[in-house]
PDB file of all heavy atoms in Angstrom:
ATOM      1  N   PRO A   1      73.820 232.238 321.320  1.00  0.00           N
ATOM      2  CA  PRO A   1      74.912 231.991 322.337  1.00  0.00           C
ATOM      3  C   PRO A   1      76.274 231.929 321.758  1.00  0.00           C
ATOM      4  O   PRO A   1      77.245 232.355 322.337  1.00  0.00           O
ATOM      5  CB  PRO A   1      74.488 230.677 322.990  1.00  0.00           C
ATOM      6  CG  PRO A   1      73.017 230.521 322.751  1.00  0.00           C
ATOM      7  CD  PRO A   1      72.800 231.191 321.409  1.00  0.00           C
ATOM      8  N   LYS A   2      76.507 231.379 320.483  1.00  0.00           N
ATOM      9  CA  LYS A   2      77.791 231.300 319.905  1.00  0.00           C
ATOM     10  C   LYS A   2      78.356 232.678 319.641  1.00  0.00           C
ATOM     11  O   LYS A   2      79.530 232.926 319.854  1.00  0.00           O
ATOM     12  CB  LYS A   2      77.702 230.493 318.605  1.00  0.00           C
ATOM     13  CG  LYS A   2      77.338 229.027 318.792  1.00  0.00           C
ATOM     14  CD  LYS A   2      77.269 228.300 317.465  1.00  0.00           C
ATOM     15  CE  LYS A   2      76.877 226.824 317.665  1.00  0.00           C
ATOM     16  NZ  LYS A   2      76.781 226.079 316.383  1.00  0.00           N
ATOM     17  N   ALA A   3      77.529 233.595 319.138  1.00  0.00           N
ATOM     18  CA  ALA A   3      77.998 234.889 318.843  1.00  0.00           C
ATOM     19  C   ALA A   3      78.337 235.685 320.121  1.00  0.00           C
ATOM     20  O   ALA A   3      79.227 236.527 320.121  1.00  0.00           O
ATOM     21  CB  ALA A   3      76.972 235.681 317.995  1.00  0.00           C
ATOM     22  N   ALA A   4      77.569 235.415 321.134  1.00  0.00           N
ATOM     23  CA  ALA A   4      77.769 236.153 322.396  1.00  0.00           C
ATOM     24  C   ALA A   4      78.859 235.565 323.274  1.00  0.00           C
ATOM     25  O   ALA A   4      79.231 236.194 324.251  1.00  0.00           O
ATOM     26  CB  ALA A   4      76.445 236.194 323.168  1.00  0.00           C
ATOM     27  N   ALA A   5      79.458 234.437 322.933  1.00  0.00           N
ATOM     28  CA  ALA A   5      80.440 233.796 323.769  1.00  0.00           C
ATOM     29  C   ALA A   5      81.699 234.591 323.994  1.00  0.00           C
ATOM     30  O   ALA A   5      82.166 234.727 325.068  1.00  0.00           O
ATOM     31  CB  ALA A   5      80.741 232.408 323.230  1.00  0.00           C
ATOM     32  N   PRO A   6      82.301 235.194 322.907  1.00  0.00           N
ATOM     33  CA  PRO A   6      83.513 235.920 323.119  1.00  0.00           C
ATOM     34  C   PRO A   6      83.344 237.157 324.034  1.00  0.00           C
ATOM     35  O   PRO A   6      84.248 237.479 324.770  1.00  0.00           O
ATOM     36  CB  PRO A   6      83.895 236.435 321.653  1.00  0.00           C
ATOM     37  CG  PRO A   6      83.208 235.472 320.775  1.00  0.00           C
ATOM     38  CD  PRO A   6      81.924 235.089 321.499  1.00  0.00           C
ATOM     39  N   LYS A   7      82.226 237.802 324.001  1.00  0.00           N
ATOM     40  CA  LYS A   7      81.957 238.981 324.826  1.00  0.00           C
ATOM     41  C   LYS A   7      81.875 238.626 326.299  1.00  0.00           C
ATOM     42  O   LYS A   7      82.145 239.441 327.124  1.00  0.00           O
ATOM     43  CB  LYS A   7      80.680 239.669 324.399  1.00  0.00           C
ATOM     44  CG  LYS A   7      80.799 240.315 323.042  1.00  0.00           C
ATOM     45  CD  LYS A   7      79.517 241.020 322.659  1.00  0.00           C
ATOM     46  CE  LYS A   7      79.600 241.652 321.280  1.00  0.00           C
ATOM     47  NZ  LYS A   7      78.353 242.388 320.924  1.00  0.00           N
ATOM     48  N   ALA A   8      81.497 237.384 326.602  1.00  0.00           N
ATOM     49  CA  ALA A   8      81.279 236.980 327.978  1.00  0.00           C
ATOM     50  C   ALA A   8      82.559 237.011 328.785  1.00  0.00           C
ATOM     51  O   ALA A   8      82.644 237.207 329.965  1.00  0.00           O
ATOM     52  CB  ALA A   8      80.722 235.597 328.047  1.00  0.00           C
ATOM     53  N   LYS A   9      83.805 236.848 328.092  1.00  0.00           N
ATOM     54  CA  LYS A   9      85.044 236.871 328.757  1.00  0.00           C
ATOM     55  C   LYS A   9      85.404 238.246 329.258  1.00  0.00           C
ATOM     56  O   LYS A   9      86.061 238.395 330.308  1.00  0.00           O
ATOM     57  CB  LYS A   9      86.156 236.385 327.839  1.00  0.00           C
ATOM     58  CG  LYS A   9      85.982 234.915 327.413  1.00  0.00           C
ATOM     59  CD  LYS A   9      87.091 234.453 326.488  1.00  0.00           C
ATOM     60  CE  LYS A   9      86.893 233.028 326.064  1.00  0.00           C
ATOM     61  NZ  LYS A   9      87.994 232.584 325.178  1.00  0.00           N
ATOM     62  N   ALA A  10      85.007 239.270 328.584  1.00  0.00           N
ATOM     63  CA  ALA A  10      85.361 240.644 328.949  1.00  0.00           C
ATOM     64  C   ALA A  10      84.442 241.201 330.061  1.00  0.00           C
ATOM     65  O   ALA A  10      84.778 242.183 330.691  1.00  0.00           O
ATOM     66  CB  ALA A  10      85.300 241.543 327.759  1.00  0.00           C
ATOM     67  N   GLU A  11      83.284 240.535 330.274  1.00  0.00           N
ATOM     68  CA  GLU A  11      82.322 241.057 331.213  1.00  0.00           C
ATOM     69  C   GLU A  11      82.862 241.051 332.631  1.00  0.00           C
ATOM     70  O   GLU A  11      82.680 241.989 333.412  1.00  0.00           O
ATOM     71  CB  GLU A  11      80.983 240.297 331.157  1.00  0.00           C
ATOM     72  CG  GLU A  11      80.273 240.708 329.892  1.00  0.00           C
ATOM     73  CD  GLU A  11      78.986 239.908 329.780  1.00  0.00           C
ATOM     74  OE1 GLU A  11      78.739 239.050 330.673  1.00  0.00           O
ATOM     75  OE2 GLU A  11      78.197 240.151 328.827  1.00  0.00           O
ATOM     76  N   PRO A  12      83.522 239.920 333.125  1.00  0.00           N
ATOM     77  CA  PRO A  12      84.027 239.921 334.519  1.00  0.00           C
ATOM     78  C   PRO A  12      84.935 241.069 334.837  1.00  0.00           C
ATOM     79  O   PRO A  12      84.913 241.617 335.929  1.00  0.00           O
ATOM     80  CB  PRO A  12      84.699 238.582 334.630  1.00  0.00           C
ATOM     81  CG  PRO A  12      84.070 237.685 333.593  1.00  0.00           C
ATOM     82  CD  PRO A  12      83.722 238.634 332.470  1.00  0.00           C
ATOM     83  N   LYS A  13      85.847 241.513 333.862  1.00  0.00           N
ATOM     84  CA  LYS A  13      86.734 242.593 334.144  1.00  0.00           C
ATOM     85  C   LYS A  13      85.972 243.910 334.406  1.00  0.00           C
ATOM     86  O   LYS A  13      86.302 244.656 335.293  1.00  0.00           O
ATOM     87  CB  LYS A  13      87.709 242.774 332.959  1.00  0.00           C
ATOM     88  CG  LYS A  13      88.689 241.595 332.807  1.00  0.00           C
ATOM     89  CD  LYS A  13      89.655 241.847 331.664  1.00  0.00           C
ATOM     90  CE  LYS A  13      90.631 240.701 331.504  1.00  0.00           C
ATOM     91  NZ  LYS A  13      91.569 240.952 330.426  1.00  0.00           N
ATOM     92  N   ALA A  14      84.999 244.097 333.502  1.00  0.00           N
ATOM     93  CA  ALA A  14      84.203 245.334 333.659  1.00  0.00           C
ATOM     94  C   ALA A  14      83.485 245.353 334.991  1.00  0.00           C
ATOM     95  O   ALA A  14      83.362 246.359 335.655  1.00  0.00           O
ATOM     96  CB  ALA A  14      83.213 245.502 332.503  1.00  0.00           C
ATOM     97  N   GLU A  15      82.897 244.197 335.358  1.00  0.00           N
ATOM     98  CA  GLU A  15      82.182 244.080 336.570  1.00  0.00           C
ATOM     99  C   GLU A  15      83.086 244.269 337.774  1.00  0.00           C
ATOM    100  O   GLU A  15      82.741 244.957 338.756  1.00  0.00           O
ATOM    101  CB  GLU A  15      81.453 242.680 336.690  1.00  0.00           C
ATOM    102  CG  GLU A  15      80.291 242.571 335.701  1.00  0.00           C
ATOM    103  CD  GLU A  15      79.655 241.191 335.815  1.00  0.00           C
ATOM    104  OE1 GLU A  15      80.170 240.369 336.622  1.00  0.00           O
ATOM    105  OE2 GLU A  15      78.702 240.931 335.103  1.00  0.00           O
ATOM    106  N   ALA A  16      84.292 243.702 337.685  1.00  0.00           N
ATOM    107  CA  ALA A  16      85.222 243.864 338.806  1.00  0.00           C
ATOM    108  C   ALA A  16      85.618 245.330 338.952  1.00  0.00           C
ATOM    109  O   ALA A  16      85.774 245.847 340.102  1.00  0.00           O
ATOM    110  CB  ALA A  16      86.487 243.020 338.507  1.00  0.00           C
ATOM    111  N   ALA A  17      85.802 246.045 337.818  1.00  0.00           N
ATOM    112  CA  ALA A  17      86.223 247.465 337.881  1.00  0.00           C
ATOM    113  C   ALA A  17      85.096 248.276 338.510  1.00  0.00           C
ATOM    114  O   ALA A  17      85.398 249.119 339.349  1.00  0.00           O
ATOM    115  CB  ALA A  17      86.522 247.968 336.484  1.00  0.00           C
ATOM    116  N   THR A  18      83.883 248.040 338.098  1.00  0.00           N
ATOM    117  CA  THR A  18      82.733 248.794 338.688  1.00  0.00           C
ATOM    118  C   THR A  18      82.648 248.493 340.182  1.00  0.00           C
ATOM    119  O   THR A  18      82.321 249.398 340.957  1.00  0.00           O
ATOM    120  CB  THR A  18      81.478 248.448 337.961  1.00  0.00           C
ATOM    121  OG1 THR A  18      81.254 247.038 337.953  1.00  0.00           O
ATOM    122  CG2 THR A  18      81.486 248.988 336.540  1.00  0.00           C
ATOM    123  N   GLU A  19      82.780 247.195 340.570  1.00  0.00           N
ATOM    124  CA  GLU A  19      82.671 246.811 341.982  1.00  0.00           C
ATOM    125  C   GLU A  19      83.778 247.531 342.792  1.00  0.00           C
ATOM    126  O   GLU A  19      83.571 247.961 343.909  1.00  0.00           O
ATOM    127  CB  GLU A  19      82.738 245.345 342.162  1.00  0.00           C
ATOM    128  CG  GLU A  19      81.480 244.619 341.709  1.00  0.00           C
ATOM    129  CD  GLU A  19      81.588 243.158 341.821  1.00  0.00           C
ATOM    130  OE1 GLU A  19      82.632 242.681 342.268  1.00  0.00           O
ATOM    131  OE2 GLU A  19      80.630 242.418 341.455  1.00  0.00           O
ATOM    132  N   ALA A  20      84.977 247.565 342.222  1.00  0.00           N
ATOM    133  CA  ALA A  20      86.108 248.226 342.926  1.00  0.00           C
ATOM    134  C   ALA A  20      85.867 249.707 343.108  1.00  0.00           C
ATOM    135  O   ALA A  20      86.178 250.256 344.167  1.00  0.00           O
ATOM    136  CB  ALA A  20      87.406 248.019 342.117  1.00  0.00           C
ATOM    137  N   LYS A  21      85.338 250.297 342.058  1.00  0.00           N
ATOM    138  CA  LYS A  21      85.024 251.755 342.216  1.00  0.00           C
ATOM    139  C   LYS A  21      84.010 252.008 343.275  1.00  0.00           C
ATOM    140  O   LYS A  21      84.020 252.978 344.045  1.00  0.00           O
ATOM    141  CB  LYS A  21      84.499 252.342 340.882  1.00  0.00           C
ATOM    142  CG  LYS A  21      85.647 252.462 339.835  1.00  0.00           C
ATOM    143  CD  LYS A  21      85.057 253.035 338.531  1.00  0.00           C
ATOM    144  CE  LYS A  21      86.155 253.193 337.473  1.00  0.00           C
ATOM    145  NZ  LYS A  21      85.585 253.695 336.236  1.00  0.00           N
ATOM    146  N   ALA A  22      82.937 251.108 343.295  1.00  0.00           N
ATOM    147  CA  ALA A  22      81.830 251.319 344.292  1.00  0.00           C
ATOM    148  C   ALA A  22      82.368 251.039 345.685  1.00  0.00           C
ATOM    149  O   ALA A  22      81.940 251.692 346.675  1.00  0.00           O
ATOM    150  CB  ALA A  22      80.710 250.359 343.952  1.00  0.00           C
ATOM    151  N   ALA A  23      83.298 250.050 345.826  1.00  0.00           N
ATOM    152  CA  ALA A  23      83.752 249.684 347.128  1.00  0.00           C
ATOM    153  C   ALA A  23      84.794 250.700 347.681  1.00  0.00           C
ATOM    154  O   ALA A  23      85.051 250.755 348.853  1.00  0.00           O
ATOM    155  CB  ALA A  23      84.377 248.312 347.136  1.00  0.00           C
ATOM    156  N   ALA A  24      85.422 251.459 346.774  1.00  0.00           N
ATOM    157  CA  ALA A  24      86.516 252.383 347.232  1.00  0.00           C
ATOM    158  C   ALA A  24      85.899 253.479 348.067  1.00  0.00           C
ATOM    159  O   ALA A  24      84.920 254.133 347.636  1.00  0.00           O
ATOM    160  CB  ALA A  24      87.182 253.027 346.014  1.00  0.00           C
ATOM    161  N   PRO A  25      86.375 253.690 349.303  1.00  0.00           N
ATOM    162  CA  PRO A  25      85.767 254.736 350.158  1.00  0.00           C
ATOM    163  C   PRO A  25      86.130 256.107 349.681  1.00  0.00           C
ATOM    164  O   PRO A  25      87.236 256.359 349.120  1.00  0.00           O
ATOM    165  CB  PRO A  25      86.451 254.459 351.500  1.00  0.00           C
ATOM    166  CG  PRO A  25      87.717 253.741 351.176  1.00  0.00           C
ATOM    167  CD  PRO A  25      87.484 252.977 349.950  1.00  0.00           C
ATOM    168  N   LYS A  26      85.202 257.046 349.815  1.00  0.00           N
ATOM    169  CA  LYS A  26      85.434 258.433 349.425  1.00  0.00           C
ATOM    170  C   LYS A  26      86.364 259.102 350.410  1.00  0.00           C
ATOM    171  O   LYS A  26      86.240 258.932 351.649  1.00  0.00           O
ATOM    172  CB  LYS A  26      84.077 259.180 349.373  1.00  0.00           C
ATOM    173  CG  LYS A  26      83.183 258.682 348.234  1.00  0.00           C
ATOM    174  CD  LYS A  26      81.941 259.496 348.168  1.00  0.00           C
ATOM    175  CE  LYS A  26      81.003 259.001 347.132  1.00  0.00           C
ATOM    176  NZ  LYS A  26      79.767 259.756 347.060  1.00  0.00           N
ATOM    177  N   LYS A  27      87.286 259.898 349.933  1.00  0.00           N
ATOM    178  CA  LYS A  27      88.243 260.557 350.792  1.00  0.00           C
ATOM    179  C   LYS A  27      87.540 261.664 351.534  1.00  0.00           C
ATOM    180  O   LYS A  27      86.860 262.547 350.871  1.00  0.00           O
ATOM    181  CB  LYS A  27      89.367 261.145 349.936  1.00  0.00           C
ATOM    182  CG  LYS A  27      90.233 260.070 349.326  1.00  0.00           C
ATOM    183  CD  LYS A  27      91.407 260.693 348.529  1.00  0.00           C
ATOM    184  CE  LYS A  27      92.306 259.638 347.931  1.00  0.00           C
ATOM    185  NZ  LYS A  27      93.394 260.215 347.138  1.00  0.00           N
TER     186      LYS A  27
END
């Protein structure tokens, strides 16, 4: 868990980006 702790901060951004892409309606 100690080694994996710094990476956990970057995960929400990546998840938010993927959710935003999925939620964006196709033109």
Side-chain angles (χ1 to χ4, degrees):
K2 293 180 181 178
K7 293 182 180 179
K9 294 180 180 179
E11 287 178 359
K13 292 183 179 179
E15 289 179 359
T18 54
E19 288 178 1
K21 287 181 181 179
K26 294 182 180 179
K27 294 182 179 179

